[in-house]
Amino acid sequence: MNRKLSIGAYQFFSIIFLFEMGSATLVGLAAGAMQDAWISVLIALGSGCLIFCIYIKLFEMYPEIPFTKYIQSILGKFTGKILAMIYILYFIYIGARVLRDFEELLVITLYNASSLISIGILLMFLVMYAIFKGFEVFGRACELLFVLTIIITTTIIGFEMIAGLIKIDNLRPVLEVGWKKILMETYPLAVTFPFGEMVVFTMLLPNLKKPDYAWKIGIPGLIFVGLVLTLITMLNICVLGANTLQRATYPILTSVSYINIADFIQRLDSVLVVIMVIGGFIKIAVFFFCAVIGAGDLFKIKKADTLTYPIALIMLVCSVWMAPDYLEHYKEGLDIVPYFLHIPLQILIPLVLLVIALIQNKAKTKENAA
C-alpha cells in the first residue's frame, strides 16, 4: 500500500463514475422539488464542478502530496495535523454511512432474515480484500465494473421503454414548484451529496499518471455521471410520478419493479440491487483507502496496511451504532450531516485553504523577486 500508486485515465474516469453513482442512486435526489427534481440535480452538477475545481487548484499547487499532508504545509504542523485528523475521521464516518445505506438496502430487499452487522462484516471483508490486493488491482476492477454497470443500466432503461412505463407528461408542468423550492433542494443537499463527496479524491489526485488528468478526465467524468444521475431522476419521475417519487424509500427499485414484458421479463429490481451494491462497494473502498493512507501519513507509519484492521473495525461498528433504525439514519443524513459536516469540510475549509495558499505563494514570489 505504501508503494507509489499510478492511476490511469480510464481507471480514474471509472472510479469517479462508480463512486458518484454509489449511494446516489439509492435515494431520490432533490425529491422535494417534485417533477422539477432533475433541474435541481443539473444545478447541483454545475456547483459540484466548481467545488471540484477548488480541489484541483489545490492539487496543482501541491502535486506530489495528498490533502492531509499539504494542509500542514498551509496551516502549520499543529493546526494542520488537527485538521488532517478531522478529515480522516470524516472519511471514516462517511464511509460508515455509506456502509449503513447498503446494509439497510440488502436487509430490506434480499436478506430479510439477516442482521445489519452480518451484512456489514461481509461487505467490509470484501473492501479489505480489495485494498490488500492493491489499489492498482482495484482500479482495473473498476474498469470492468464500469462497463458492466453501463450495459445493465442501458438495458434496464430499454426495458422500461419497451414496457411503456415512461410517461413524459409526469415531467409537466415545468417549474411548478418555483425556483425557490428548486434551489432549496439543491443547496446544500444535492450539491454536497453526491458531488461534494469528491473531496476524498484530493487524496488520490497525486497518484494520477499525468497531473493534467485532473482537468481532462476529472471534470468530464463528473459531468458525465451528473448527466446520468439527471437522466435517472427524470426516468424515475416519468415512471412513478412526483408524489410516489417523494414517498418511495428506494425510487429506482420501485420504478424498475414495474417492468413486466410478456410476463417473462420481470423482477429486475433484484438485478439492479447487485449493480447498486457494486457502486456502494467502490464508494466505501475509496473512503476506506483514503482514510488508511491519510492516517498512515499523519502518524508516520511505515506500513499503512497495519491500520486496515482497526479502521475497518471502527467503520463497521460506527455503521451499526450511528442510528437505531433506517428512518433515524435517513433523518441524520438530511438534517445534520450536510450542515455540520459536508458544508464546512467539502466547501468552506478547502476554499479557505486555497485562498491562504494563493496568498502564501504570492508572498513567496515577491520575496524571490526582491
Side-chain angles (χ1 to χ4, degrees):
M1 187 177 289
N2 293 78
R3 63 186 182 277
K4 178 65 178 175
L5 303 178
S6 183
I7 302 173
Y10 181 45
Q11 288 180 353
F12 188 45
F13 186 90
S14 301
I15 294 170
I16 288 176
F17 180 84
L18 294 170
F19 175 88
E20 287 291 285
M21 289 290 284
S23 51
T25 53
L26 280 179
V27 297
L29 293 176
M34 305 297 283
Q35 67 267 25
D36 295 322
W38 62 275
I39 300 176
S40 289
V41 178
L42 273 181
I43 297 172
L45 169 60
S47 301
C49 288
L50 292 176
I51 294 169
F52 192 53
C53 288
I54 296 173
Y55 307 152
I56 296 175
K57 291 300 292 183
L58 283 167
F59 160 65
E60 287 182 332
M61 299 174 76
Y62 301 93
E64 300 295 328
I65 54 178
F67 185 61
T68 51
K69 196 163 187 175
Y70 62 70
I71 286 176
Q72 300 171 48
S73 300
I74 296 172
L75 299 178
K77 283 193 174 181
F78 180 74
T79 308
K81 284 185 177 181
I82 293 174
L83 191 56
M85 188 65 205
I86 290 172
Y87 270 97
I88 291 166
L89 293 174
Y90 173 70
F91 296 155
I92 294 173
Y93 177 72
I94 300 303
R97 288 198 67 84
V98 179
L99 180 60
R100 176 62 178 264
D101 287 336
F102 286 90
E103 289 170 354
E104 294 281 1
L105 170 69
L106 290 172
V107 168
I108 291 171
T109 56
L110 300 180
Y111 303 104
N112 306 95
S114 299
S115 61
L116 292 177
I117 189 70
S118 60
I119 299 295
I121 289 171
L122 291 174
L123 285 172
M124 282 312 302
F125 268 124
L126 182 62
V127 170
M128 289 168 63
Y129 176 75
I131 298 306
F132 273 125
K133 293 303 268 183
F135 201 81
E136 292 90 345
V137 176
F138 174 76
R140 288 195 291 272
C142 287
E143 295 178 7
L144 176 63
L145 294 174
F146 168 72
V147 175
L148 181 64
T149 301
I150 290 294
I151 291 173
I152 293 181
T153 302
T154 305
T155 303
I156 288 175
I157 292 172
F159 284 150
E160 285 183 337
M161 295 174 68
I162 294 170
L165 297 175
I166 300 175
K167 299 177 176 61
I168 302 297
D169 284 342
N170 286 340
L171 293 171
R172 302 188 184 118
V174 178
L175 297 178
E176 182 186 28
V177 298
W179 280 108
K180 182 180 178 181
K181 183 63 176 177
I182 290 172
L183 294 176
M184 284 176 63
E185 288 295 315
T186 303
Y187 303 103
L189 295 178
V191 172
T192 56
F193 172 80
F195 302 108
E197 291 176 333
M198 288 292 290
V199 66
V200 75
F201 278 75
T202 54
M203 302 293 291
L204 299 179
L205 292 177
N207 300 307
L208 295 176
K209 281 185 179 178
K210 296 180 180 179
D212 61 353
Y213 285 169
W215 288 110
K216 293 182 179 179
I217 306 298
I219 297 296
L222 195 57
I223 291 172
F224 178 71
V225 72
L227 293 176
V228 171
L229 288 172
T230 304
L231 175 62
I232 290 173
T233 301
M234 294 177 75
L235 288 172
N236 286 340
I237 297 169
C238 289
V239 174
L240 300 176
N243 291 322
T244 306
L245 175 74
Q246 200 171 20
R247 294 195 305 268
T249 304
Y250 302 119
I252 190 170
L253 290 182
T254 305
S255 64
V256 171
S257 69
Y258 289 173
I259 295 174
N260 185 356
I261 301 175
D263 290 328
F264 178 69
I265 299 175
Q266 53 186 333
R267 297 296 301 170
L268 294 180
D269 46 322
S270 300
V271 177
L272 189 62
V273 168
V274 176
I275 295 301
M276 293 167 75
V277 170
I278 288 174
F281 156 70
I282 300 301
K283 193 165 188 176
I284 296 165
V286 170
F287 275 115
F288 181 78
F289 177 78
C290 292
V292 170
I293 59 174
D297 178 70
L298 182 64
F299 297 112
K300 308 296 182 186
I301 297 174
K302 291 183 179 180
K303 290 189 176 181
D305 303 64
T306 56
L307 294 171
T308 301
Y309 294 110
I311 291 179
L313 181 61
I314 293 169
M315 193 175 283
L316 176 63
V317 172
C318 186
S319 73
V320 178
W321 285 356
M322 67 172 53
D325 53 49
Y326 179 73
L327 289 177
E328 188 66 28
H329 169 68
Y330 186 73
K331 189 173 184 297
E332 286 178 7
L334 290 178
D335 299 339
I336 299 174
V337 175
Y339 298 95
F340 293 96
L341 290 179
H342 287 339
I343 291 177
L345 295 173
Q346 292 177 4
I347 303 171
L348 298 181
I349 292 175
L351 183 59
V352 171
L353 288 173
L354 179 61
V355 171
I356 294 173
L358 289 171
I359 292 171
Q360 289 175 344
N361 277 11
K362 193 172 182 179
K364 285 179 183 177
T365 303
K366 286 184 177 179
E367 285 179 10
N368 294 334

